[in-house]
């Protein structure tokens, strides 16, 4: 009985991983997008507004994409690859940007 219970739990792991990737990975991607918009060469208020609007689109797209790919591994790798350029843009934003 223990083997079948373990197999049942393992069968649900890819779905649980995708749900976690959609919730937390998508949120992290949206947050990075929102902050990275401050690196744009526009007024700080416009950058905040642009980042906020883009983050909603990016989060929704990330959630859809996580469940559209073939495996949970590809979903996680895709989120990491998408986050890398945003993270690099965030590194260029100074402490007083957006003010």
């Amino acid at each position: 009985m223990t083997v079948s219970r373990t197999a049942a739990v393992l069968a649900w792991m890819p779905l649980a991983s995708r749900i976690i990737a959609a919730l937390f990975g998508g949120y992290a991607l949206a947050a990075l997008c929102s902050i990275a918009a401050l690196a744009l060469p526009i007024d700080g208020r416009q950058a905040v507004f642009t980042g906020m609007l883009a983050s909603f689109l990016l989060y929704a797209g990330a959630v859809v994409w996580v469940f559209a790919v073939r495996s949970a591994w590809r979903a996680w790798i895709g989120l990491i690859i998408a986050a890398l350029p945003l993270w690099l843009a965030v590194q260029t934003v100074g402490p007083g940007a957006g003010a």
Side-chain angles (χ1 to χ4, degrees):
M1 191 71 176
T2 307
V3 173
S4 65
R5 203 175 267 191
T6 304
V9 169
L10 289 176
W12 284 94
M13 291 302 286
L15 178 62
S17 179
R18 285 177 190 247
I19 291 170
I20 291 169
L23 289 175
F24 298 112
Y27 179 80
L29 205 60
L32 283 171
C33 175
S34 186
I35 297 169
L38 295 173
L40 294 172
I42 57 176
D43 182 50
R45 291 174 293 202
Q46 288 178 335
V48 169
F49 189 66
T50 301
M52 182 181 62
L53 290 175
S55 70
F56 286 119
L57 293 173
L58 191 62
Y59 186 78
V63 170
V64 170
W65 186 79
V66 161
F67 289 101
V69 295
R70 291 184 182 203
S71 69
W73 285 108
R74 287 185 185 189
W76 281 106
I77 291 170
L79 287 175
I80 291 169
I81 290 171
L84 285 175
L86 293 172
W87 182 78
L88 291 173
V90 166
Q91 298 305 310
T92 65
V93 175

